[in-house]
Every structure is written in structure tokens, then in C-alpha cells.
Amino acid sequence: MSHLDRFKNISVIGAAGKMGSGILLLNVLHAAKLMHHGPYIGQTFVINAIDQNFEGLQGLMNYLKGQLQKWAEKNIVELRKLFANRSHLIDNKDIIEAFVFEALSMVKPSINMEAAYHSNLVFEAIIEDETIKASVLKQINDNNPHEPFFLTNTSAIPIEVLNQKAQLDGRIIGCHFYNPPAVQKLIEVVELKDGHPELSKIVDGFARHMNKLIVPSFDVAGFVGNGFFMREILFAERMYNDLRKELGAQQALLITDKVSHELMMRPMGIFQLVDYVGIDVCVLIMKVMNTYLDEEIASPLLSGLLEKGVRGGQHHDGSQKAGLFSYEKGRPVELYDLDADKYIPIEAPALEADKYLSVQTKVYSWNQLNRSKYREQHLKETFEQLAQEDSRGTQLLKTYMTAMKTLGLQLKEDGVTASTDYVNAVMMNGFYHLYGPVNDYNF
């Protein structure tokens, strides 16, 4: 069986979830194109969308229909080429309707795991719990006569652990999509040392076809992305704790977030990013890493917030839940006061934080530089100016950037990645940073 043949019957486990729905959409688009390709014209494609309840699956089908419609309208030139042999379809509207109908017809929603028992390829995107993941993968493998290949979206659990627990004989690969999968270009790929050689070809081909960027990681808990992100959270927490010795919790938190956001010219600060990912998710990932690494990966700050019911994360419509900040239209409007255990308006403490930092250099925002053809020049000049300034803000910035560079170098030294270029690629493509942590800025 060729690796493309395996896409004729696939299953996505956890399809109605935040990550699963995006992975499912990518597979639907991939198959919808493939079914118009030479030997696959007229053949049957099945994509099982498996999740726990019908309500979630109904929402998933509505999501898919809307996304397929948008994709088709945006890519009508490509669609007209795919449907060139359908002479009766002339108007764009008719072609789009035919595409959406065909694509949705492939998707078979189900709450039963048995639907995956005939798939040749299984994408898994369920909770980051190795016992649950391994149990689901083993159930499918034990009842599937086709010796399926498994692509797990785990962002932290060692692939060899899942391979051993589910008894998959090397037919598994880490295929960590970044959120949202349909938009993010990055896929972090983790191969087993003695894994099935065809798996990497499947992922490479799928990634190329869907215009994704693959960054490899070695099979070390947390991999490159969370290996960096979780340790950055711990560094930011230490900075917060140091600042809290002279300032209140509000100021300490906001100053740390502003340094990692505004002064580092990132899309959001470290604590806002924690909210976006979910405090509960971050704590879960740290527990996984703590189990398999010879270092302490734990955040008293985040664990304490979780105990108080402060979770962050996103609603099903993509809007931001309250975490360390509360939000309106995606913008922080309140700050969680850890001293008073309540949310307070952000304006006054934000002004006090700026006054404390007292940075005089004009710093670009991420939005200003993200699509600028002069990005590198502006970054270089801004960091050179910041290096000449001696304010509390620039002192904290230097400490933060030095620590991030050390983190990036350490991932290579610890055998997580073969190159710091991969660390930079993950942070720039997966986290949308304008530059990697291992850089030559004279700061």
C-alpha cells in the first residue's frame, strides 16, 4: 500500500476539539484535492470524525462547512482546475457548492471508536494524558487488522512511551500541529529511533501538500516547542517573584508581561500567552515533562491559580476565557490581582508599570514589524538603541533575552534538537516571534 492510499480511509480521534477540528479540516482539504488526482478519480474516501458526543460533532460539521466554503471562495482558481473535467459546472457558485458537498460527504461523524477499526491512518488529538492516549491507541490497534499508522498530536509525551504502552511496534510518529492547525504553518515532527520508515514519508508528503513547515525534534519530553515555552514560563515566574519583593503582585505581573511583550516586540506577553494556551494545559504539560526529565518543571504560580479556578483557555468560538487577565474582543481589560484574589481594571496598574520601566527608546510593536520588509533593520537598530539606555526596563530586557538565548542553546546541548536553527524556527513559526531566541543582536 502506498502512503497516499492510506489517506483513503483515515480517522481523527478528538475531532471536535480545538486541535482535532483543525487537523480534520486539513485532512478533508487534502483528500478533496487527492480525489481529483489521476489514479484516485472516482475512488471512495472515508474520513471518520470521532469524538465523545453528538453535540460536539454537530458543531464540528457546521465548522467544517463554513471553513470549506471560505477556502473554496478564496481558492476558486485552483478549484476550477480541479473540476476542469466537469463540463456541466460553469459558474463559480456551482463549482463551490459541488466542492463543499463532495468534501463533507467524505466525513463520517461518530461517537464510537469502532469507526477507526478499518482505517489505515489514525490522527490522534485528545487530552494530554499518556494513560488515556495509550488506551485509545491500543484499543484501535488491537481491533484493526490493517496495522494502521498513528500520528499523535501530543505536545509533550515521549513518543516511545506511547509506542510501548499501546504496543504499536513502531507504527507511530509525533505530529504536533500548532494552534490553530488550519492556519499555523508549523508541524513539529518527532520520529522514533526505530520507527516505521514510511511514517516520515507520509508526514512529509502531507505537509508539502498542505503548505506546512516541518521542524524535527528528538524524542525528549516537551520536544522543542514546549521544551522552550514551559521553561520560559518558569523564568518569567522567577522574574515576577523577584519583582514582587519590592512591588505588589499587580505591578510585578504586568512588568514581567510588558518586558516579554512590548520590549521584546512579541505578539503577546508571556502571561497572556499562558492564558491563550490555557493555565490548565500548561500545568498538565509541565507534569508530563516533570515525570520524564531530570529537572524540576513545576509552576507554583499557575498551580495556585488553577486551584482557585482560574483556567484561561478559549471558548468554542475562539474568544478568550479569563485567566491572569480578563478580555474584551481579545484585548486584556482586567488583571487578576493575586493579593486580593479578584480582577481589577488594567489601566492604572499599566501606567504604573510603564513608569517603573521608564524606557525612553521608541520600540516598535509586533504589528508594525510583522509584515514590514524592513523588519530586520528596525529590530537591529531598536536593540542597539535599547542597549545604550540604562533604565530599569532595559535591564530587565537584557536579563530576559540573555535567559532566552541560554534556553535555546540548552535545548541543543540537552539533545532535544540537532540545531538552534530549529529552536528559532519553532519560536518564529509556531509562536509568531519576529526573531529567534538564539540571535546576534548586540544587546
Side-chain angles (χ1 to χ4, degrees), residues 183-218:
V183 177
Q184 280 270 31
K185 286 183 67 69
L186 182 70
I187 303 178
E188 195 172 6
V189 175
V190 189
E191 294 185 52
L192 286 177
K193 189 175 182 180
D194 298 312
H196 198 293
E198 192 179 339
L199 272 164
S200 61
K201 295 178 182 177
I202 288 173
V203 177
D204 284 345
F206 180 78
R208 253 194 331 271
H209 198 216
M210 300 313 296
N211 195 30
K212 300 294 184 182
L213 170 69
I214 285 180
V215 174
S217 171
F218 294 124

PDB file of all heavy atoms in Angstrom, residues 183-218:
ATOM      1  N   VAL A 183      -4.342  27.158  10.181  1.00  0.00           N
ATOM      2  CA  VAL A 183      -3.664  28.419   9.868  1.00  0.00           C
ATOM      3  C   VAL A 183      -2.165  28.323  10.093  1.00  0.00           C
ATOM      4  O   VAL A 183      -1.366  28.774   9.269  1.00  0.00           O
ATOM      5  CB  VAL A 183      -4.255  29.571  10.714  1.00  0.00           C
ATOM      6  CG1 VAL A 183      -3.512  30.876  10.456  1.00  0.00           C
ATOM      7  CG2 VAL A 183      -5.738  29.727  10.422  1.00  0.00           C
ATOM      8  N   GLN A 184      -1.761  27.747  11.221  1.00  0.00           N
ATOM      9  CA  GLN A 184      -0.349  27.673  11.569  1.00  0.00           C
ATOM     10  C   GLN A 184       0.431  26.810  10.571  1.00  0.00           C
ATOM     11  O   GLN A 184       0.014  25.700  10.232  1.00  0.00           O
ATOM     12  CB  GLN A 184      -0.192  27.068  12.966  1.00  0.00           C
ATOM     13  CG  GLN A 184      -0.448  28.058  14.088  1.00  0.00           C
ATOM     14  CD  GLN A 184       0.833  28.769  14.500  1.00  0.00           C
ATOM     15  OE1 GLN A 184       1.721  28.976  13.675  1.00  0.00           O
ATOM     16  NE2 GLN A 184       0.935  29.139  15.741  1.00  0.00           N
ATOM     17  N   LYS A 185       1.560  27.312  10.114  1.00  0.00           N
ATOM     18  CA  LYS A 185       2.367  26.584   9.130  1.00  0.00           C
ATOM     19  C   LYS A 185       3.197  25.466   9.753  1.00  0.00           C
ATOM     20  O   LYS A 185       3.577  24.512   9.085  1.00  0.00           O
ATOM     21  CB  LYS A 185       3.315  27.555   8.406  1.00  0.00           C
ATOM     22  CG  LYS A 185       2.637  28.460   7.405  1.00  0.00           C
ATOM     23  CD  LYS A 185       3.635  29.339   6.691  1.00  0.00           C
ATOM     24  CE  LYS A 185       4.563  28.541   5.795  1.00  0.00           C
ATOM     25  NZ  LYS A 185       3.879  27.966   4.620  1.00  0.00           N
ATOM     26  N   LEU A 186       3.461  25.569  11.053  1.00  0.00           N
ATOM     27  CA  LEU A 186       4.430  24.676  11.681  1.00  0.00           C
ATOM     28  C   LEU A 186       3.832  23.332  12.084  1.00  0.00           C
ATOM     29  O   LEU A 186       2.739  23.267  12.638  1.00  0.00           O
ATOM     30  CB  LEU A 186       5.014  25.352  12.923  1.00  0.00           C
ATOM     31  CG  LEU A 186       6.083  24.552  13.665  1.00  0.00           C
ATOM     32  CD1 LEU A 186       7.362  24.477  12.856  1.00  0.00           C
ATOM     33  CD2 LEU A 186       6.369  25.165  15.025  1.00  0.00           C
ATOM     34  N   ILE A 187       4.574  22.267  11.779  1.00  0.00           N
ATOM     35  CA  ILE A 187       4.309  20.946  12.356  1.00  0.00           C
ATOM     36  C   ILE A 187       5.620  20.461  12.962  1.00  0.00           C
ATOM     37  O   ILE A 187       6.631  20.342  12.267  1.00  0.00           O
ATOM     38  CB  ILE A 187       3.825  19.922  11.311  1.00  0.00           C
ATOM     39  CG1 ILE A 187       2.576  20.417  10.587  1.00  0.00           C
ATOM     40  CG2 ILE A 187       3.539  18.581  11.994  1.00  0.00           C
ATOM     41  CD1 ILE A 187       2.089  19.463   9.497  1.00  0.00           C
ATOM     42  N   GLU A 188       5.602  20.191  14.244  1.00  0.00           N
ATOM     43  CA  GLU A 188       6.780  19.652  14.933  1.00  0.00           C
ATOM     44  C   GLU A 188       6.710  18.133  14.852  1.00  0.00           C
ATOM     45  O   GLU A 188       5.755  17.518  15.341  1.00  0.00           O
ATOM     46  CB  GLU A 188       6.777  20.117  16.388  1.00  0.00           C
ATOM     47  CG  GLU A 188       8.095  19.928  17.101  1.00  0.00           C
ATOM     48  CD  GLU A 188       8.086  20.575  18.482  1.00  0.00           C
ATOM     49  OE1 GLU A 188       7.027  21.067  18.915  1.00  0.00           O
ATOM     50  OE2 GLU A 188       9.149  20.580  19.116  1.00  0.00           O
ATOM     51  N   VAL A 189       7.687  17.517  14.205  1.00  0.00           N
ATOM     52  CA  VAL A 189       7.658  16.079  13.936  1.00  0.00           C
ATOM     53  C   VAL A 189       8.687  15.364  14.805  1.00  0.00           C
ATOM     54  O   VAL A 189       9.853  15.762  14.853  1.00  0.00           O
ATOM     55  CB  VAL A 189       7.911  15.789  12.446  1.00  0.00           C
ATOM     56  CG1 VAL A 189       8.005  14.291  12.191  1.00  0.00           C
ATOM     57  CG2 VAL A 189       6.791  16.392  11.599  1.00  0.00           C
ATOM     58  N   VAL A 190       8.222  14.310  15.476  1.00  0.00           N
ATOM     59  CA  VAL A 190       9.085  13.547  16.377  1.00  0.00           C
ATOM     60  C   VAL A 190       9.075  12.083  15.939  1.00  0.00           C
ATOM     61  O   VAL A 190       8.084  11.376  16.114  1.00  0.00           O
ATOM     62  CB  VAL A 190       8.604  13.668  17.849  1.00  0.00           C
ATOM     63  CG1 VAL A 190       9.640  13.044  18.781  1.00  0.00           C
ATOM     64  CG2 VAL A 190       8.320  15.117  18.213  1.00  0.00           C
ATOM     65  N   GLU A 191      10.186  11.645  15.366  1.00  0.00           N
ATOM     66  CA  GLU A 191      10.290  10.261  14.906  1.00  0.00           C
ATOM     67  C   GLU A 191      10.870   9.374  16.001  1.00  0.00           C
ATOM     68  O   GLU A 191      11.741   9.786  16.765  1.00  0.00           O
ATOM     69  CB  GLU A 191      11.195  10.175  13.677  1.00  0.00           C
ATOM     70  CG  GLU A 191      10.662  10.859  12.438  1.00  0.00           C
ATOM     71  CD  GLU A 191      11.572  10.622  11.237  1.00  0.00           C
ATOM     72  OE1 GLU A 191      11.900   9.447  10.960  1.00  0.00           O
ATOM     73  OE2 GLU A 191      11.974  11.618  10.607  1.00  0.00           O
ATOM     74  N   LEU A 192      10.391   8.139  16.030  1.00  0.00           N
ATOM     75  CA  LEU A 192      11.009   7.138  16.891  1.00  0.00           C
ATOM     76  C   LEU A 192      12.359   6.743  16.311  1.00  0.00           C
ATOM     77  O   LEU A 192      12.542   6.747  15.086  1.00  0.00           O
ATOM     78  CB  LEU A 192      10.125   5.885  16.978  1.00  0.00           C
ATOM     79  CG  LEU A 192       8.852   5.969  17.814  1.00  0.00           C
ATOM     80  CD1 LEU A 192       8.088   4.648  17.710  1.00  0.00           C
ATOM     81  CD2 LEU A 192       9.173   6.262  19.270  1.00  0.00           C
ATOM     82  N   LYS A 193      13.259   6.363  17.192  1.00  0.00           N
ATOM     83  CA  LYS A 193      14.578   5.929  16.741  1.00  0.00           C
ATOM     84  C   LYS A 193      14.466   4.720  15.817  1.00  0.00           C
ATOM     85  O   LYS A 193      15.171   4.624  14.798  1.00  0.00           O
ATOM     86  CB  LYS A 193      15.452   5.597  17.953  1.00  0.00           C
ATOM     87  CG  LYS A 193      16.908   5.355  17.610  1.00  0.00           C
ATOM     88  CD  LYS A 193      17.747   5.156  18.870  1.00  0.00           C
ATOM     89  CE  LYS A 193      19.208   4.962  18.526  1.00  0.00           C
ATOM     90  NZ  LYS A 193      20.039   4.757  19.751  1.00  0.00           N
ATOM     91  N   ASP A 194      13.589   3.782  16.147  1.00  0.00           N
ATOM     92  CA  ASP A 194      13.389   2.590  15.322  1.00  0.00           C
ATOM     93  C   ASP A 194      11.953   2.532  14.807  1.00  0.00           C
ATOM     94  O   ASP A 194      11.353   1.453  14.716  1.00  0.00           O
ATOM     95  CB  ASP A 194      13.712   1.322  16.136  1.00  0.00           C
ATOM     96  CG  ASP A 194      15.168   1.288  16.586  1.00  0.00           C
ATOM     97  OD1 ASP A 194      16.034   1.523  15.733  1.00  0.00           O
ATOM     98  OD2 ASP A 194      15.418   1.044  17.778  1.00  0.00           O
ATOM     99  N   GLY A 195      11.401   3.688  14.456  1.00  0.00           N
ATOM    100  CA  GLY A 195      10.038   3.738  13.963  1.00  0.00           C
ATOM    101  C   GLY A 195       9.928   3.271  12.522  1.00  0.00           C
ATOM    102  O   GLY A 195      10.937   3.102  11.817  1.00  0.00           O
ATOM    103  N   HIS A 196       8.717   3.063  12.067  1.00  0.00           N
ATOM    104  CA  HIS A 196       8.482   2.619  10.698  1.00  0.00           C
ATOM    105  C   HIS A 196       8.938   3.716   9.730  1.00  0.00           C
ATOM    106  O   HIS A 196       8.502   4.863   9.833  1.00  0.00           O
ATOM    107  CB  HIS A 196       7.001   2.315  10.494  1.00  0.00           C
ATOM    108  CG  HIS A 196       6.730   1.469   9.289  1.00  0.00           C
ATOM    109  ND1 HIS A 196       6.943   1.916   8.001  1.00  0.00           N
ATOM    110  CD2 HIS A 196       6.270   0.189   9.169  1.00  0.00           C
ATOM    111  CE1 HIS A 196       6.627   0.964   7.146  1.00  0.00           C
ATOM    112  NE2 HIS A 196       6.217  -0.095   7.822  1.00  0.00           N
ATOM    113  N   PRO A 197       9.811   3.387   8.773  1.00  0.00           N
ATOM    114  CA  PRO A 197      10.380   4.414   7.884  1.00  0.00           C
ATOM    115  C   PRO A 197       9.342   5.106   6.996  1.00  0.00           C
ATOM    116  O   PRO A 197       9.556   6.240   6.556  1.00  0.00           O
ATOM    117  CB  PRO A 197      11.395   3.637   7.041  1.00  0.00           C
ATOM    118  CG  PRO A 197      10.957   2.203   7.127  1.00  0.00           C
ATOM    119  CD  PRO A 197      10.355   2.047   8.478  1.00  0.00           C
ATOM    120  N   GLU A 198       8.221   4.447   6.713  1.00  0.00           N
ATOM    121  CA  GLU A 198       7.216   5.040   5.829  1.00  0.00           C
ATOM    122  C   GLU A 198       6.492   6.213   6.487  1.00  0.00           C
ATOM    123  O   GLU A 198       5.954   7.084   5.810  1.00  0.00           O
ATOM    124  CB  GLU A 198       6.193   3.976   5.400  1.00  0.00           C
ATOM    125  CG  GLU A 198       5.289   4.452   4.266  1.00  0.00           C
ATOM    126  CD  GLU A 198       4.302   3.395   3.823  1.00  0.00           C
ATOM    127  OE1 GLU A 198       4.548   2.195   4.078  1.00  0.00           O
ATOM    128  OE2 GLU A 198       3.273   3.758   3.224  1.00  0.00           O
ATOM    129  N   LEU A 199       6.494   6.249   7.815  1.00  0.00           N
ATOM    130  CA  LEU A 199       5.761   7.298   8.526  1.00  0.00           C
ATOM    131  C   LEU A 199       6.271   8.692   8.193  1.00  0.00           C
ATOM    132  O   LEU A 199       5.490   9.625   7.991  1.00  0.00           O
ATOM    133  CB  LEU A 199       5.839   7.061  10.037  1.00  0.00           C
ATOM    134  CG  LEU A 199       4.755   6.152  10.616  1.00  0.00           C
ATOM    135  CD1 LEU A 199       5.142   5.668  11.998  1.00  0.00           C
ATOM    136  CD2 LEU A 199       3.420   6.870  10.653  1.00  0.00           C
ATOM    137  N   SER A 200       7.582   8.850   8.151  1.00  0.00           N
ATOM    138  CA  SER A 200       8.138  10.168   7.848  1.00  0.00           C
ATOM    139  C   SER A 200       7.782  10.604   6.431  1.00  0.00           C
ATOM    140  O   SER A 200       7.546  11.788   6.170  1.00  0.00           O
ATOM    141  CB  SER A 200       9.654  10.177   8.044  1.00  0.00           C
ATOM    142  OG  SER A 200      10.278   9.249   7.174  1.00  0.00           O
ATOM    143  N   LYS A 201       7.693   9.643   5.489  1.00  0.00           N
ATOM    144  CA  LYS A 201       7.303   9.968   4.120  1.00  0.00           C
ATOM    145  C   LYS A 201       5.857  10.447   4.073  1.00  0.00           C
ATOM    146  O   LYS A 201       5.514  11.374   3.326  1.00  0.00           O
ATOM    147  CB  LYS A 201       7.479   8.747   3.212  1.00  0.00           C
ATOM    148  CG  LYS A 201       8.920   8.285   3.051  1.00  0.00           C
ATOM    149  CD  LYS A 201       8.998   7.046   2.169  1.00  0.00           C
ATOM    150  CE  LYS A 201      10.427   6.545   2.046  1.00  0.00           C
ATOM    151  NZ  LYS A 201      10.488   5.287   1.247  1.00  0.00           N
ATOM    152  N   ILE A 202       5.004   9.815   4.874  1.00  0.00           N
ATOM    153  CA  ILE A 202       3.594  10.213   4.927  1.00  0.00           C
ATOM    154  C   ILE A 202       3.461  11.636   5.441  1.00  0.00           C
ATOM    155  O   ILE A 202       2.755  12.464   4.865  1.00  0.00           O
ATOM    156  CB  ILE A 202       2.799   9.238   5.823  1.00  0.00           C
ATOM    157  CG1 ILE A 202       2.646   7.891   5.122  1.00  0.00           C
ATOM    158  CG2 ILE A 202       1.431   9.811   6.186  1.00  0.00           C
ATOM    159  CD1 ILE A 202       2.020   6.819   5.973  1.00  0.00           C
ATOM    160  N   VAL A 203       4.161  11.933   6.538  1.00  0.00           N
ATOM    161  CA  VAL A 203       4.079  13.273   7.126  1.00  0.00           C
ATOM    162  C   VAL A 203       4.679  14.312   6.185  1.00  0.00           C
ATOM    163  O   VAL A 203       4.121  15.399   6.003  1.00  0.00           O
ATOM    164  CB  VAL A 203       4.775  13.308   8.499  1.00  0.00           C
ATOM    165  CG1 VAL A 203       4.762  14.720   9.068  1.00  0.00           C
ATOM    166  CG2 VAL A 203       4.087  12.361   9.470  1.00  0.00           C
ATOM    167  N   ASP A 204       5.823  13.992   5.567  1.00  0.00           N
ATOM    168  CA  ASP A 204       6.471  14.919   4.638  1.00  0.00           C
ATOM    169  C   ASP A 204       5.549  15.260   3.467  1.00  0.00           C
ATOM    170  O   ASP A 204       5.390  16.423   3.088  1.00  0.00           O
ATOM    171  CB  ASP A 204       7.775  14.321   4.102  1.00  0.00           C
ATOM    172  CG  ASP A 204       8.901  14.370   5.117  1.00  0.00           C
ATOM    173  OD1 ASP A 204       8.765  15.105   6.111  1.00  0.00           O
ATOM    174  OD2 ASP A 204       9.913  13.666   4.914  1.00  0.00           O
ATOM    175  N   GLY A 205       4.927  14.220   2.898  1.00  0.00           N
ATOM    176  CA  GLY A 205       4.050  14.433   1.762  1.00  0.00           C
ATOM    177  C   GLY A 205       2.819  15.247   2.132  1.00  0.00           C
ATOM    178  O   GLY A 205       2.415  16.166   1.405  1.00  0.00           O
ATOM    179  N   PHE A 206       2.234  14.923   3.266  1.00  0.00           N
ATOM    180  CA  PHE A 206       1.050  15.641   3.744  1.00  0.00           C
ATOM    181  C   PHE A 206       1.395  17.103   4.009  1.00  0.00           C
ATOM    182  O   PHE A 206       0.653  18.010   3.620  1.00  0.00           O
ATOM    183  CB  PHE A 206       0.539  14.976   5.025  1.00  0.00           C
ATOM    184  CG  PHE A 206      -0.686  15.626   5.620  1.00  0.00           C
ATOM    185  CD1 PHE A 206      -1.940  15.389   5.089  1.00  0.00           C
ATOM    186  CD2 PHE A 206      -0.580  16.473   6.713  1.00  0.00           C
ATOM    187  CE1 PHE A 206      -3.069  15.980   5.638  1.00  0.00           C
ATOM    188  CE2 PHE A 206      -1.690  17.070   7.265  1.00  0.00           C
ATOM    189  CZ  PHE A 206      -2.947  16.822   6.723  1.00  0.00           C
ATOM    190  N   ALA A 207       2.519  17.330   4.659  1.00  0.00           N
ATOM    191  CA  ALA A 207       2.940  18.699   4.984  1.00  0.00           C
ATOM    192  C   ALA A 207       3.185  19.506   3.723  1.00  0.00           C
ATOM    193  O   ALA A 207       2.769  20.667   3.616  1.00  0.00           O
ATOM    194  CB  ALA A 207       4.202  18.668   5.850  1.00  0.00           C
ATOM    195  N   ARG A 208       3.852  18.904   2.741  1.00  0.00           N
ATOM    196  CA  ARG A 208       4.118  19.606   1.478  1.00  0.00           C
ATOM    197  C   ARG A 208       2.823  19.965   0.765  1.00  0.00           C
ATOM    198  O   ARG A 208       2.657  21.082   0.283  1.00  0.00           O
ATOM    199  CB  ARG A 208       4.992  18.721   0.569  1.00  0.00           C
ATOM    200  CG  ARG A 208       6.424  19.179   0.455  1.00  0.00           C
ATOM    201  CD  ARG A 208       7.175  18.514  -0.681  1.00  0.00           C
ATOM    202  NE  ARG A 208       6.740  17.179  -1.031  1.00  0.00           N
ATOM    203  CZ  ARG A 208       7.218  16.079  -0.490  1.00  0.00           C
ATOM    204  NH1 ARG A 208       8.119  16.151   0.468  1.00  0.00           N
ATOM    205  NH2 ARG A 208       6.789  14.903  -0.892  1.00  0.00           N
ATOM    206  N   HIS A 209       1.915  19.002   0.736  1.00  0.00           N
ATOM    207  CA  HIS A 209       0.652  19.199   0.039  1.00  0.00           C
ATOM    208  C   HIS A 209      -0.190  20.289   0.689  1.00  0.00           C
ATOM    209  O   HIS A 209      -0.949  20.998   0.016  1.00  0.00           O
ATOM    210  CB  HIS A 209      -0.130  17.876   0.010  1.00  0.00           C
ATOM    211  CG  HIS A 209      -1.204  17.836  -1.012  1.00  0.00           C
ATOM    212  ND1 HIS A 209      -2.395  17.195  -0.811  1.00  0.00           N
ATOM    213  CD2 HIS A 209      -1.281  18.369  -2.262  1.00  0.00           C
ATOM    214  CE1 HIS A 209      -3.166  17.330  -1.880  1.00  0.00           C
ATOM    215  NE2 HIS A 209      -2.508  18.034  -2.774  1.00  0.00           N
ATOM    216  N   MET A 210      -0.067  20.437   1.995  1.00  0.00           N
ATOM    217  CA  MET A 210      -0.862  21.428   2.723  1.00  0.00           C
ATOM    218  C   MET A 210      -0.056  22.683   3.053  1.00  0.00           C
ATOM    219  O   MET A 210      -0.467  23.503   3.869  1.00  0.00           O
ATOM    220  CB  MET A 210      -1.405  20.808   4.020  1.00  0.00           C
ATOM    221  CG  MET A 210      -2.302  19.592   3.803  1.00  0.00           C
ATOM    222  SD  MET A 210      -3.561  19.826   2.524  1.00  0.00           S
ATOM    223  CE  MET A 210      -4.538  21.135   3.240  1.00  0.00           C
ATOM    224  N   ASN A 211       1.121  22.811   2.422  1.00  0.00           N
ATOM    225  CA  ASN A 211       1.963  24.010   2.568  1.00  0.00           C
ATOM    226  C   ASN A 211       2.374  24.258   4.020  1.00  0.00           C
ATOM    227  O   ASN A 211       2.309  25.390   4.524  1.00  0.00           O
ATOM    228  CB  ASN A 211       1.229  25.242   2.011  1.00  0.00           C
ATOM    229  CG  ASN A 211       2.165  26.419   1.798  1.00  0.00           C
ATOM    230  OD1 ASN A 211       3.349  26.251   1.517  1.00  0.00           O
ATOM    231  ND2 ASN A 211       1.649  27.621   1.944  1.00  0.00           N
ATOM    232  N   LYS A 212       2.789  23.196   4.687  1.00  0.00           N
ATOM    233  CA  LYS A 212       3.237  23.293   6.074  1.00  0.00           C
ATOM    234  C   LYS A 212       4.765  23.191   6.164  1.00  0.00           C
ATOM    235  O   LYS A 212       5.422  22.662   5.267  1.00  0.00           O
ATOM    236  CB  LYS A 212       2.610  22.175   6.920  1.00  0.00           C
ATOM    237  CG  LYS A 212       1.084  22.190   6.968  1.00  0.00           C
ATOM    238  CD  LYS A 212       0.549  23.408   7.675  1.00  0.00           C
ATOM    239  CE  LYS A 212      -0.967  23.355   7.803  1.00  0.00           C
ATOM    240  NZ  LYS A 212      -1.515  24.567   8.444  1.00  0.00           N
ATOM    241  N   LEU A 213       5.284  23.696   7.249  1.00  0.00           N
ATOM    242  CA  LEU A 213       6.720  23.645   7.518  1.00  0.00           C
ATOM    243  C   LEU A 213       6.987  22.605   8.602  1.00  0.00           C
ATOM    244  O   LEU A 213       6.417  22.678   9.694  1.00  0.00           O
ATOM    245  CB  LEU A 213       7.219  25.019   7.990  1.00  0.00           C
ATOM    246  CG  LEU A 213       8.651  25.069   8.545  1.00  0.00           C
ATOM    247  CD1 LEU A 213       9.662  24.832   7.421  1.00  0.00           C
ATOM    248  CD2 LEU A 213       8.913  26.406   9.232  1.00  0.00           C
ATOM    249  N   ILE A 214       7.865  21.648   8.299  1.00  0.00           N
ATOM    250  CA  ILE A 214       8.226  20.630   9.284  1.00  0.00           C
ATOM    251  C   ILE A 214       9.501  21.037  10.013  1.00  0.00           C
ATOM    252  O   ILE A 214      10.486  21.415   9.389  1.00  0.00           O
ATOM    253  CB  ILE A 214       8.427  19.260   8.608  1.00  0.00           C
ATOM    254  CG1 ILE A 214       7.080  18.645   8.246  1.00  0.00           C
ATOM    255  CG2 ILE A 214       9.210  18.309   9.507  1.00  0.00           C
ATOM    256  CD1 ILE A 214       7.177  17.299   7.574  1.00  0.00           C
ATOM    257  N   VAL A 215       9.461  20.955  11.337  1.00  0.00           N
ATOM    258  CA  VAL A 215      10.662  21.127  12.151  1.00  0.00           C
ATOM    259  C   VAL A 215      10.829  19.851  12.982  1.00  0.00           C
ATOM    260  O   VAL A 215       9.921  19.468  13.727  1.00  0.00           O
ATOM    261  CB  VAL A 215      10.561  22.360  13.078  1.00  0.00           C
ATOM    262  CG1 VAL A 215      11.765  22.423  14.006  1.00  0.00           C
ATOM    263  CG2 VAL A 215      10.477  23.642  12.260  1.00  0.00           C
ATOM    264  N   PRO A 216      11.964  19.173  12.866  1.00  0.00           N
ATOM    265  CA  PRO A 216      12.158  17.916  13.609  1.00  0.00           C
ATOM    266  C   PRO A 216      12.594  18.153  15.048  1.00  0.00           C
ATOM    267  O   PRO A 216      13.261  19.142  15.366  1.00  0.00           O
ATOM    268  CB  PRO A 216      13.272  17.225  12.820  1.00  0.00           C
ATOM    269  CG  PRO A 216      14.079  18.357  12.250  1.00  0.00           C
ATOM    270  CD  PRO A 216      13.099  19.463  11.970  1.00  0.00           C
ATOM    271  N   SER A 217      12.178  17.234  15.905  1.00  0.00           N
ATOM    272  CA  SER A 217      12.629  17.241  17.294  1.00  0.00           C
ATOM    273  C   SER A 217      13.003  15.814  17.671  1.00  0.00           C
ATOM    274  O   SER A 217      12.439  14.864  17.140  1.00  0.00           O
ATOM    275  CB  SER A 217      11.515  17.745  18.224  1.00  0.00           C
ATOM    276  OG  SER A 217      11.865  17.556  19.588  1.00  0.00           O
ATOM    277  N   PHE A 218      13.941  15.685  18.578  1.00  0.00           N
ATOM    278  CA  PHE A 218      14.228  14.364  19.127  1.00  0.00           C
ATOM    279  C   PHE A 218      13.173  14.032  20.190  1.00  0.00           C
ATOM    280  O   PHE A 218      12.455  14.914  20.678  1.00  0.00           O
ATOM    281  CB  PHE A 218      15.638  14.324  19.711  1.00  0.00           C
ATOM    282  CG  PHE A 218      16.718  14.474  18.670  1.00  0.00           C
ATOM    283  CD1 PHE A 218      17.672  15.481  18.777  1.00  0.00           C
ATOM    284  CD2 PHE A 218      16.769  13.626  17.573  1.00  0.00           C
ATOM    285  CE1 PHE A 218      18.662  15.638  17.813  1.00  0.00           C
ATOM    286  CE2 PHE A 218      17.760  13.768  16.603  1.00  0.00           C
ATOM    287  CZ  PHE A 218      18.706  14.780  16.729  1.00  0.00           C
TER     288      PHE A 218
END
